[in-house]
Amino acid sequence: MSVKEHVHFIGVGGYGMSAVARIMVESGYTVSGSDMQQNELTKQLQELGVTIYQGHAAEHVNGADWVVYSSGIPSENVEMITAKEQGIPLFHRSQMLARLVNEKKGITVAGSHGKTTTSSMIAFLLTHAELDPSFLIGGNVVGLGGNARAGKSPYVVAEADESDRSFLHYHPYLSVVTNIEADHLENYGGQFSNLLAAYEQYLSQVREGGMAIISMDDLHLREMLPKLRGEVITYGRQGAGDYQAINIEEGNCSISFDLLEYGKPLGRITLPVPGKHNVSNALAAIAVGRFLGVSFSCIADAMQHFTNAKRRFQIIGDIDDCLIVDDYAHHPTEIRATLEAAKGTGRRIVAIFQPQRYTRTYYLFEQFGQAFADADEVIITDIYSPAGEKQIEGVSAKRLAELIKEKSNSHVHYVASKDEILQYLLNKDLGHHLVLTMGATDIWKVGTQLLEKRQVTHTKP
């Protein structure tokens, strides 16, 4: 692929697509892209010289040598059709990302949970160590100035998505897996065994001289370890692993631990983000850094100054003794981990959750019901369903609220709309509370609107 070539992106406004587009324009390619709506990511691309079209039209692909599309683009999209008619090579986003990863020393992070945070930590650590990595992350990392950058070193940090099997395109130098759970089974014939086999294949595709890095806190990865080909580094916070966290102490929106490397104490690590799950994420990043020769003192300093990606326990604001936090948690395990982290603040927790997709809610219905024990109050709102998804009989937000009441938390109620949730919160005494919005949707708007309304009230004479 020549740097002079023109690459066009259909659906460029998402985190994954915009990250690849940014890497390519910073690497010297001519880049254009289209999407139905412009957003912060498309504006950033425009500032870098990318031509952005709002909406889709046949003429947008004129002159393109390559066309990249995302999973959300239907085959009947006019730009897809035009590219096929003109014989322009079409690449799925994951295929283009694989080219970037496989051509260099790729460091890819897979797992059901923690991909974005772990990738962010690795990219932040390597940047702090002046290793100048390229990175493509599924979230906007404040400390890195965005979700992507083309560095000058051979290292490329990226998330490896198992949801559509696209992580099997990668042959990385370092292959990280944080954990494995039964999710996205609709793409694995409904069989968890097929998902496990895919992870085993992914971990076995590490290039010569590289390393697989896996968590010993995960049962499935522990059982998979003897089957893996090649060298493996392990980590854990439950008394097992080449890298271990001991003497874990939680603070107010922070956590610290002593680090063991192959049984030898190296020193103490402090993270400015809460939650024991972030200790695990940090151990994975530390294992990468140490393999690449980064000193402990540099790692400790990087971890202490780490700033998480947006929507990963992101503090929206703190006003009148009410802390407002947003998190991307949309799986039962993520919800439990996020609530555990919130509980560590010592505040009363109001958890607001919007389920995404009828299929995910159906497959994980029982697990969702058991996930909210650590909240003092739970609000469930209507399921977000993308266009074209059919409703499943018996699966509804109201029914989920009833199940949560039965299985894990009696202080739960169903509220149909975000406007109703906001009004409820405005009428409630939220002193020494933590209002936590969770979900893969735009439920975060409840938190930002609550902050705006409380700020107006706060400033009134």
Side-chain angles (χ1 to χ4, degrees):
M1 201 173 193
S2 167
V3 169
K4 296 181 180 179
E5 288 180 312
H6 174 193
V7 186
H8 178 73
F9 289 77
I10 311 174
V12 74
Y15 277 112
M17 287 284 277
S18 65
V20 178
R22 181 165 183 161
I23 290 287
M24 299 198 79
V25 71
E26 288 182 349
S27 298
Y29 294 94
T30 299
V31 177
S32 62
S34 61
D35 216 313
M36 293 307 297
Q37 300 293 332
Q38 295 202 26
N39 57 27
E40 181 183 348
L41 295 172
T42 57
K43 290 176 184 176
Q44 290 174 358
L45 289 174
Q46 280 182 312
E47 291 172 359
L48 292 171
V50 176
T51 301
I52 299 293
Y53 302 104
Q54 184 165 343
H56 300 293
E59 58 267 24
H60 293 167
V61 303
N62 288 343
D65 297 291
W66 307 80
V67 170
V68 183
Y69 63 96
S70 67
S71 296
I73 302 300
S75 58
E76 62 269 20
N77 177 278
V78 63
E79 294 178 20
M80 290 271 283
I81 293 171
T82 304
K84 290 176 183 176
E85 289 175 346
Q86 294 185 11
I88 302 172
L90 280 161
F91 283 82
H92 185 271
R93 179 196 65 84
S94 62
Q95 294 172 309
M96 187 58 70
L97 176 56
R99 292 176 70 96
L100 299 174
V101 167
N102 296 342
E103 287 174 357
K104 294 190 176 184
K105 287 190 172 181
I107 302 168
T108 57
V109 181
S112 300
H113 322 294
K115 287 191 291 290
T116 297
T117 298
T118 304
S119 300
S120 300
M121 285 182 171
I122 294 170
F124 188 84
L125 190 161
L126 299 188
T127 300
H128 190 78
E130 299 183 350
L131 292 180
D132 196 18
S134 300
F135 59 83
L136 306 93
I137 294 170
N140 194 351
V141 186
V142 177
L144 292 172
N147 66 327
R149 186 185 69 208
K152 294 188 171 81
S153 80
Y155 302 117
V156 180
V157 182
E159 294 180 41
D161 188 4
E162 86 289 352
S163 67
D164 57 2
R165 305 176 71 96
S166 61
F167 68 157
L168 297 179
H169 293 307
Y170 308 136
H171 295 270
Y173 179 59
L174 294 177
S175 174
V176 179
V177 177
T178 57
N179 43 61
I180 304 175
E181 285 206 35
D183 199 5
H184 309 292
L185 294 184
E186 65 276 11
N187 293 322
Y188 291 88
Q191 298 296 315
F192 185 46
S193 59
N194 293 338
L195 177 64
L196 290 173
Y199 269 103
E200 185 178 337
Q201 180 181 339
Y202 162 73
L203 284 166
S204 297
Q205 292 179 176
V206 174
R207 285 155 50 185
E208 186 176 352
M211 192 76 67
I213 299 173
I214 66 173
S215 171
M216 288 292 92
D217 294 331
D218 184 87
L219 171 63
H220 306 297
L221 287 169
R222 288 200 303 271
E223 292 177 343
M224 193 179 293
L225 180 58
K227 305 175 187 177
L228 298 178
R229 302 190 300 272
E231 298 295 319
V232 180
I233 295 174
T234 60
Y235 65 90
R237 54 182 171 84
Q238 296 179 4
D242 301 323
Y243 290 87
Q244 293 182 40
I246 62 173
N247 302 325
I248 298 172
E249 293 182 1
E250 296 187 76
N252 183 15
C253 291
S254 67
I255 197 162
S256 62
F257 60 92
D258 290 327
L259 175 66
L260 298 182
E261 181 182 60
Y262 298 97
K264 177 185 175 182
L266 289 189
R268 193 144 186 93
I269 298 289
T270 299
L271 301 171
V273 289
K276 291 180 180 177
H277 62 294
N278 279 319
V279 172
S280 297
N281 296 334
L283 286 172
I286 289 166
V288 169
R290 293 295 286 167
F291 182 79
L292 297 180
V294 181
S295 70
F296 171 78
S297 60
C298 182
I299 288 173
D301 190 55
M303 293 293 100
Q304 188 172 0
H305 293 93
F306 172 70
T307 304
N308 212 342
K310 290 184 177 181
R311 302 219 64 211
R312 271 67 182 180
F313 212 87
Q314 180 186 357
I315 296 176
I316 305 300
D318 190 349
I319 186 168
D320 292 336
D321 200 26
C322 172
L323 181 65
I324 304 169
V325 175
D326 176 61
D327 198 277
Y328 189 71
H330 60 289
H331 185 281
T333 300
E334 295 169 348
I335 291 168
R336 284 193 296 270
T338 303
L339 288 174
E340 181 185 13
K343 193 174 182 179
T345 67
R347 294 171 179 260
R348 289 184 59 80
I349 303 165
V350 180
I352 303 161
F353 177 60
Q354 181 170 36
Q356 182 199 33
R357 296 182 177 273
Y358 287 105
T359 50
R360 173 179 281 117
T361 309
Y362 170 77
Y363 278 117
L364 300 173
F365 208 62
E366 287 294 321
Q367 294 96 314
F368 276 124
Q370 299 167 8
F372 291 87
D374 280 339
D376 295 284
E377 181 180 357
V378 180
I379 298 172
I380 302 296
T381 193
D382 279 338
I383 296 171
Y384 169 80
S385 176
E389 188 189 33
K390 294 181 180 179
Q391 185 171 352
I392 299 174
E393 186 177 353
V395 177
S396 69
K398 189 173 183 180
R399 175 69 188 98
L400 179 57
E402 293 170 355
L403 185 66
I404 292 167
K405 186 172 185 178
E406 176 187 338
K407 298 289 185 179
S408 65
N409 198 313
S410 60
H411 302 288
V412 58
H413 47 118
Y414 159 72
V415 181
S417 72
K418 297 180 184 68
D419 289 341
E420 291 175 89
I421 295 172
L422 177 61
Q423 195 56 52
Y424 170 79
L425 294 172
L426 290 171
N427 292 331
K428 184 178 176 64
D429 180 5
L430 294 174
H432 201 59
H433 277 63
L434 189 157
V435 175
L436 175 63
T437 54
M438 293 184 291
T441 64
D442 63 354
I443 191 66
W444 56 269
K445 290 181 178 179
V446 172
T448 57
Q449 290 170 358
L450 175 64
L451 179 65
E452 290 169 3
K453 296 287 186 182
R454 287 180 71 90
Q455 284 174 331
V456 170
T457 303
H458 183 80
T459 55
K460 282 184 178 179

